[in-house]
Coordinates of all heavy atoms in Angstrom, one line a residue:
M1417 N 0.9 -1.2 0.0 CA 0.0 0.0 0.0 C 0.9 1.2 0.0 O 1.7 1.4 0.9 CB -0.9 0.0 1.2 CG -1.6 1.3 1.5 SD -2.7 1.3 2.9 CE -1.6 1.2 4.2
P1418 N 0.7 2.1 -1.0 CA 1.5 3.4 -1.0 C 1.1 4.3 0.1 O -0.1 4.5 0.4 CB 1.2 4.0 -2.4 CG 0.0 3.3 -2.8 CD -0.2 2.0 -2.1
K1419 N 2.1 4.8 0.9 CA 1.8 5.7 2.0 C 2.2 7.1 1.6 O 3.3 7.3 1.1 CB 2.6 5.2 3.2 CG 2.4 6.0 4.4 CD 1.2 5.5 5.2 CE 1.2 6.2 6.5 NZ -0.1 6.5 7.0
V1420 N 1.3 8.0 1.7 CA 1.6 9.4 1.5 C 2.3 10.0 2.7 O 1.9 9.7 3.8 CB 0.3 10.2 1.2 CG1 0.6 11.7 1.0 CG2 -0.4 9.6 -0.1
S1421 N 3.4 10.7 2.5 CA 4.1 11.2 3.6 C 3.3 12.2 4.5 O 2.4 12.9 3.9 CB 5.4 11.9 3.2 OG 5.1 13.1 2.6
P1422 N 3.5 12.2 5.8 CA 2.7 13.1 6.6 C 2.9 14.6 6.2 O 2.0 15.4 6.3 CB 3.3 12.9 8.0 CG 3.9 11.5 8.0 CD 4.4 11.3 6.5
E1423 N 4.1 14.9 5.7 CA 4.4 16.3 5.3 C 3.5 16.7 4.1 O 2.9 17.8 4.0 CB 5.9 16.5 4.9 CG 6.8 16.4 6.1 CD 7.2 14.9 6.4 OE1 6.9 14.0 5.6 OE2 7.7 14.7 7.5
L1424 N 3.4 15.8 3.1 CA 2.6 16.0 1.9 C 1.1 16.1 2.3 O 0.4 16.9 1.9 CB 2.9 15.0 0.8 CG 2.1 15.1 -0.4 CD1 2.3 16.5 -1.1 CD2 2.4 14.0 -1.4
L1425 N 0.7 15.1 3.1 CA -0.7 15.0 3.5 C -1.1 16.3 4.3 O -2.3 16.7 4.1 CB -0.9 13.8 4.4 CG -2.3 13.2 4.5 CD1 -2.9 13.0 3.1 CD2 -2.3 11.9 5.3
S1426 N -0.2 16.9 5.0 CA -0.6 18.1 5.7 C -0.9 19.3 4.8 O -1.6 20.2 5.3 CB 0.6 18.5 6.7 OG 1.7 19.0 6.1
I1427 N -0.4 19.3 3.6 CA -0.6 20.5 2.7 C -1.7 20.2 1.6 O -2.2 21.1 1.0 CB 0.7 21.0 2.1 CG1 1.3 19.9 1.2 CG2 1.6 21.5 3.1 CD1 2.5 20.4 0.4
L1428 N -2.0 18.9 1.4 CA -2.9 18.5 0.4 C -4.3 18.9 0.8 O -4.7 18.8 2.0 CB -2.9 17.0 0.0 CG -1.7 16.6 -0.7 CD1 -1.7 15.0 -0.9 CD2 -1.5 17.3 -2.0
R1429 N -5.2 19.3 -0.1 CA -6.6 19.7 0.2 C -7.5 19.1 -0.9 O -7.0 18.9 -2.1 CB -6.8 21.2 0.2 CG -6.1 21.9 1.4 CD -6.7 21.5 2.7 NE -6.0 22.1 3.8 CZ -5.2 21.4 4.6 NH1 -4.9 20.2 4.4 NH2 -4.7 22.0 5.7
C1430 N -8.7 18.8 -0.6 CA -9.7 18.3 -1.5 C -9.9 19.4 -2.5 O -10.2 20.5 -2.1 CB -10.9 17.9 -0.8 SG -12.3 17.5 -1.9
P1431 N -9.8 19.1 -3.8 CA -10.1 20.2 -4.8 C -11.5 20.6 -4.9 O -11.8 21.7 -5.5 CB -9.6 19.6 -6.1 CG -9.7 18.1 -5.9 CD -9.4 17.9 -4.4
V1432 N -12.4 19.9 -4.4 CA -13.9 20.2 -4.4 C -14.3 20.9 -3.2 O -14.9 22.0 -3.3 CB -14.7 18.9 -4.6 CG1 -16.2 19.3 -4.6 CG2 -14.3 18.2 -5.9
T1433 N -14.0 20.4 -2.0 CA -14.5 21.0 -0.7 C -13.4 21.9 -0.1 O -13.8 22.7 0.8 CB -14.9 19.9 0.3 OG1 -13.7 19.2 0.6 CG2 -15.9 19.0 -0.3
G1434 N -12.2 21.8 -0.4 CA -11.1 22.5 0.2 C -10.7 22.0 1.6 O -9.9 22.6 2.3
S1435 N -11.3 20.9 2.0 CA -11.0 20.3 3.3 C -9.7 19.5 3.3 O -9.2 19.1 2.2 CB -12.2 19.4 3.7 OG -12.3 18.3 2.9
A1436 N -9.2 19.2 4.4 CA -8.0 18.3 4.6 C -8.4 16.9 4.1 O -9.5 16.5 4.0 CB -7.6 18.3 6.0
L1437 N -7.3 16.2 3.8 CA -7.5 14.8 3.3 C -6.8 13.8 4.3 O -5.8 14.2 4.9 CB -6.9 14.6 1.9 CG -7.5 15.4 0.8 CD1 -6.5 15.5 -0.4 CD2 -8.8 14.9 0.4
V1438 N -7.4 12.7 4.5 CA -6.8 11.6 5.3 C -6.7 10.4 4.4 O -7.5 10.1 3.5 CB -7.7 11.3 6.5 CG1 -7.7 12.5 7.5 CG2 -9.1 10.9 6.2
Q1439 N -5.6 9.6 4.7 CA -5.4 8.4 3.9 C -6.2 7.2 4.6 O -6.1 7.0 5.8 CB -3.9 8.0 3.8 CG -3.7 6.9 2.9 CD -2.3 6.7 2.5 OE1 -1.4 7.4 2.9 NE2 -2.0 5.7 1.7
E1440 N -7.0 6.6 3.7 CA -7.7 5.3 4.1 C -7.3 4.3 3.1 O -7.8 4.3 2.0 CB -9.2 5.6 4.2 CG -9.6 6.5 5.3 CD -11.1 6.6 5.3 OE1 -11.9 5.9 4.6 OE2 -11.6 7.4 6.1
G1441 N -6.4 3.4 3.5 CA -6.0 2.3 2.5 C -5.2 3.0 1.4 O -4.3 3.7 1.5
E1442 N -5.7 2.7 0.2 CA -5.1 3.2 -1.1 C -5.8 4.4 -1.6 O -5.8 4.7 -2.8 CB -5.0 2.1 -2.1 CG -4.1 1.0 -1.6 CD -3.8 -0.1 -2.7 OE1 -4.1 0.2 -3.9 OE2 -3.4 -1.2 -2.3
E1443 N -6.5 5.1 -0.7 CA -7.3 6.3 -1.2 C -7.0 7.5 -0.2 O -6.7 7.2 1.0 CB -8.8 6.0 -1.2 CG -9.2 5.0 -2.2 CD -10.7 4.8 -2.2 OE1 -11.3 4.7 -1.2 OE2 -11.3 4.8 -3.3
L1444 N -7.2 8.7 -0.7 CA -7.3 9.8 0.2 C -8.8 10.2 0.2 O -9.5 10.2 -0.8 CB -6.5 11.0 -0.4 CG -5.0 10.8 -0.4 CD1 -4.3 12.0 -1.0 CD2 -4.4 10.4 0.9
V1445 N -9.2 10.6 1.4 CA -10.6 10.9 1.6 C -10.8 12.3 2.2 O -10.0 12.6 3.2 CB -11.3 9.8 2.6 CG1 -12.8 10.1 2.8 CG2 -11.1 8.4 2.1
S1446 N -11.7 13.1 1.7 CA -11.9 14.4 2.2 C -12.5 14.3 3.6 O -13.2 13.4 4.0 CB -12.9 15.2 1.3 OG -14.1 14.6 1.3
T1447 N -12.2 15.3 4.5 CA -12.7 15.3 5.8 C -14.1 16.0 5.9 O -14.8 15.9 6.9 CB -11.8 16.0 6.8 OG1 -11.5 17.3 6.3 CG2 -10.5 15.2 6.9
T1448 N -14.5 16.6 4.8 CA -15.8 17.3 4.7 C -16.6 16.7 3.5 O -16.0 16.4 2.5 CB -15.6 18.8 4.5 OG1 -14.9 19.4 5.5 CG2 -17.0 19.5 4.4
A1449 N -17.9 16.5 3.7 CA -18.7 15.9 2.7 C -18.9 16.9 1.5 O -18.9 18.1 1.8 CB -20.0 15.5 3.2
G1450 N -19.1 16.4 0.3 CA -19.4 17.3 -0.8 C -20.8 17.6 -0.9 O -21.6 17.3 0.0
D1451 N -21.3 18.1 -2.0 CA -22.7 18.5 -2.2 C -23.7 17.4 -2.1 O -24.8 17.6 -1.7 CB -22.9 19.2 -3.6 CG -22.1 20.6 -3.6 OD1 -21.9 21.1 -2.6 OD2 -21.9 21.0 -4.8
N1452 N -23.2 16.2 -2.4 CA -24.1 15.0 -2.4 C -24.2 14.4 -1.0 O -24.8 13.4 -0.8 CB -23.7 14.0 -3.4 CG -22.3 13.4 -3.1 OD1 -21.6 13.8 -2.2 ND2 -21.9 12.5 -4.0
G1453 N -23.5 15.0 0.0 CA -23.5 14.5 1.3 C -22.5 13.4 1.6 O -22.4 12.9 2.7
E1454 N -21.7 13.0 0.6 CA -20.7 12.0 0.8 C -19.3 12.6 0.8 O -19.0 13.6 0.1 CB -20.8 10.9 -0.2 CG -22.1 10.2 -0.2 CD -22.2 9.1 -1.3 OE1 -21.1 8.7 -1.8 OE2 -23.3 8.6 -1.5
K1455 N -18.4 12.0 1.5 CA -17.0 12.4 1.4 C -16.4 11.9 0.1 O -16.7 10.9 -0.4 CB -16.2 11.8 2.6 CG -16.7 12.4 3.9 CD -15.9 11.9 5.1 CE -16.3 12.6 6.4 NZ -15.6 12.1 7.5
L1456 N -15.5 12.8 -0.5 CA -14.9 12.5 -1.8 C -13.7 11.6 -1.6 O -13.0 11.8 -0.6 CB -14.6 13.8 -2.5 CG -15.8 14.5 -2.9 CD1 -15.9 15.9 -2.2 CD2 -15.9 14.6 -4.4
R1457 N -13.5 10.7 -2.5 CA -12.4 9.8 -2.4 C -11.5 9.9 -3.7 O -12.0 10.0 -4.8 CB -12.9 8.3 -2.3 CG -13.7 8.1 -1.1 CD -14.3 6.7 -1.1 NE -14.2 5.8 0.0 CZ -13.7 5.9 1.2 NH1 -13.1 7.0 1.5 NH2 -13.7 5.0 2.0
Y1458 N -10.2 9.9 -3.4 CA -9.2 10.0 -4.5 C -8.2 8.9 -4.4 O -7.7 8.6 -3.4 CB -8.5 11.4 -4.4 CG -9.4 12.6 -4.4 CD1 -9.9 13.1 -3.2 CD2 -9.9 13.1 -5.6 CE1 -10.8 14.2 -3.2 CE2 -10.8 14.1 -5.6 CZ -11.2 14.7 -4.4 OH -12.1 15.7 -4.4
S1459 N -8.0 8.2 -5.5 CA -7.1 7.1 -5.6 C -5.6 7.6 -5.5 O -5.3 8.7 -5.9 CB -7.4 6.2 -6.8 OG -7.1 6.9 -7.9
I1460 N -4.8 6.7 -5.2 CA -3.3 6.9 -5.2 C -2.8 5.8 -6.1 O -2.9 4.6 -5.9 CB -2.7 6.7 -3.8 CG1 -3.4 7.7 -2.8 CG2 -1.2 6.9 -3.8 CD1 -3.0 7.4 -1.3
E1461 N -2.1 6.3 -7.2 CA -1.6 5.4 -8.2 C -0.1 5.6 -8.2 O 0.4 6.7 -8.5 CB -2.2 5.6 -9.6 CG -3.6 5.2 -9.6 CD -4.2 5.2 -11.0 OE1 -3.5 5.3 -12.0 OE2 -5.5 5.2 -11.1
D1462 N 0.7 4.5 -8.0 CA 2.2 4.5 -8.0 C 2.7 5.6 -7.0 O 3.6 6.3 -7.3 CB 2.7 4.8 -9.4 CG 2.4 3.7 -10.4 OD1 2.3 2.5 -10.0 OD2 2.1 4.0 -11.6
G1463 N 2.0 5.8 -5.9 CA 2.4 6.7 -4.9 C 2.0 8.1 -5.2 O 2.4 9.0 -4.4
I1464 N 1.2 8.4 -6.2 CA 0.8 9.7 -6.6 C -0.7 9.9 -6.4 O -1.4 9.2 -7.0 CB 1.2 10.0 -8.1 CG1 2.7 9.9 -8.3 CG2 0.7 11.4 -8.5 CD1 3.1 9.9 -9.7
P1465 N -1.1 10.8 -5.5 CA -2.5 11.1 -5.4 C -3.1 11.7 -6.6 O -2.6 12.6 -7.2 CB -2.6 12.1 -4.2 CG -1.2 12.0 -3.6 CD -0.3 11.6 -4.6
L1466 N -4.2 11.1 -7.1 CA -4.9 11.7 -8.3 C -6.1 12.6 -7.8 O -7.2 12.1 -7.5 CB -5.5 10.5 -9.1 CG -4.4 9.6 -9.7 CD1 -5.1 8.5 -10.5 CD2 -3.4 10.3 -10.5
L1467 N -5.8 13.8 -7.6 CA -6.7 14.8 -7.0 C -7.6 15.5 -8.1 O -7.7 16.7 -8.1 CB -6.0 15.8 -6.2 CG -5.2 15.2 -5.0 CD1 -4.5 16.3 -4.2 CD2 -6.1 14.4 -4.1
L1468 N -8.2 14.7 -8.9 CA -9.1 15.3 -9.9 C -10.6 15.0 -9.3 O -10.9 14.0 -8.8 CB -9.0 14.6 -11.2 CG -7.8 14.9 -12.0 CD1 -7.7 14.0 -13.3 CD2 -7.7 16.4 -12.4
P1469 N -11.4 16.0 -9.5 CA -12.8 15.8 -9.1 C -13.4 14.6 -9.9 O -12.9 14.4 -11.1 CB -13.5 17.1 -9.5 CG -12.4 18.1 -9.5 CD -11.2 17.4 -9.9
P1470 N -14.3 13.9 -9.4 CA -14.8 12.7 -10.0 C -15.2 12.9 -11.5 O -14.9 12.0 -12.3 CB -16.0 12.3 -9.2 CG -15.7 12.8 -7.8 CD -15.0 14.1 -8.1
E1471 N -15.9 13.9 -11.8 CA -16.3 14.1 -13.2 C -15.1 14.4 -14.2 O -15.1 14.0 -15.3 CB -17.3 15.3 -13.4 CG -16.8 16.6 -12.9 CD -16.9 16.9 -11.4 OE1 -17.3 16.0 -10.7 OE2 -16.6 18.0 -11.1
L1472 N -14.1 15.0 -13.7 CA -12.9 15.2 -14.5 C -12.0 14.0 -14.6 O -11.4 13.7 -15.7 CB -12.0 16.4 -14.0 CG -12.7 17.8 -14.1 CD1 -11.7 18.8 -13.5 CD2 -13.0 18.1 -15.5
L1473 N -12.0 13.2 -13.6 CA -11.3 11.9 -13.6 C -11.9 11.0 -14.6 O -11.2 10.3 -15.4 CB -11.2 11.3 -12.2 CG -10.4 10.0 -12.1 CD1 -8.9 10.3 -12.5 CD2 -10.5 9.5 -10.7
A1474 N -13.2 10.9 -14.7 CA -13.9 10.1 -15.7 C -13.5 10.5 -17.1 O -13.3 9.7 -18.0 CB -15.4 10.1 -15.4
A1475 N -13.5 11.8 -17.3 CA -13.2 12.4 -18.6 C -11.7 12.1 -19.0 O -11.4 11.8 -20.1 CB -13.5 13.9 -18.7
A1476 N -10.8 12.2 -18.0 CA -9.4 11.9 -18.3 C -9.2 10.5 -18.6 O -8.5 10.1 -19.5 CB -8.6 12.3 -17.1
N1477 N -9.9 9.6 -17.9 CA -9.8 8.2 -18.2 C -10.4 7.8 -19.6 O -9.8 7.0 -20.3 CB -10.5 7.3 -17.1 CG -9.7 7.3 -15.8 OD1 -8.5 7.6 -15.8 ND2 -10.4 7.1 -14.7
A1478 N -11.5 8.5 -19.9 CA -12.1 8.2 -21.2 C -11.2 8.7 -22.4 O -11.2 8.1 -23.5 CB -13.5 8.9 -21.3
A1479 N -10.5 9.8 -22.2 CA -9.6 10.3 -23.2 C -8.5 9.3 -23.6 O -8.1 9.3 -24.7 CB -9.0 11.7 -22.8
G1480 N -8.0 8.6 -22.6 CA -6.9 7.7 -22.9 C -5.6 8.4 -23.0 O -5.5 9.5 -23.3
S1481 N -4.5 7.6 -22.8 CA -3.2 8.2 -22.8 C -2.7 8.4 -24.2 O -1.8 9.2 -24.5 CB -2.2 7.3 -22.1 OG -2.2 6.0 -22.7
S1482 N -3.3 7.8 -25.2 CA -2.8 8.0 -26.6 C -3.0 9.4 -27.1 O -2.2 9.9 -27.9 CB -3.6 7.0 -27.5 OG -5.0 7.4 -27.6
Q1483 N -3.9 10.1 -26.6 CA -4.1 11.5 -27.0 C -3.0 12.4 -26.4 O -2.7 13.4 -26.9 CB -5.5 12.0 -26.6 CG -6.6 11.4 -27.3 CD -8.0 12.0 -26.9 OE1 -8.1 12.7 -25.9 NE2 -9.0 11.6 -27.6
H1484 N -2.4 12.0 -25.3 CA -1.5 12.8 -24.6 C 0.0 12.5 -25.0 O 0.9 13.3 -24.8 CB -1.6 12.6 -23.1 CG -3.0 13.0 -22.6 ND1 -3.4 14.3 -22.5 CD2 -4.0 12.2 -22.1 CE1 -4.7 14.3 -22.1 NE2 -5.0 13.0 -21.8
D1485 N 0.2 11.3 -25.6 CA 1.5 10.8 -25.9 C 1.9 11.0 -27.4 O 3.0 10.7 -27.8 CB 1.7 9.4 -25.5 CG 1.6 9.2 -24.0 OD1 1.8 10.1 -23.3 OD2 1.3 8.0 -23.6
S1486 N 0.9 11.5 -28.2 CA 1.2 11.6 -29.6 C 2.2 12.7 -29.9 O 2.3 13.7 -29.2 CB -0.1 11.9 -30.4 OG -0.6 13.1 -30.0
K1487 N 3.0 12.5 -30.9 CA 4.0 13.5 -31.3 C 3.4 14.4 -32.4 O 2.7 14.0 -33.2 CB 5.3 12.8 -31.8 CG 5.9 12.0 -30.7 CD 7.2 11.5 -31.2 CE 7.7 10.5 -30.2 NZ 8.8 10.5 -29.6
A1488 N 3.8 15.7 -32.3 CA 3.3 16.7 -33.3 C 3.9 16.5 -34.7 O 4.9 16.0 -34.9 CB 3.6 18.1 -32.8

């Protein structure tokens, strides 16, 4: 399980609510609930927190890496 350093965790904030984040397993979780009443969850991949709001994360995943890796 990738562990986010306490120093980094102390400065990270939820991009939606602005609240602090806590690590729960392989995710970071906001300490304040969002508009839907639920706390927001962000995955950690290869030790890097993916702090995209859920709707943008879905769009980024749908775009695929081929659009970002092409050469001009």
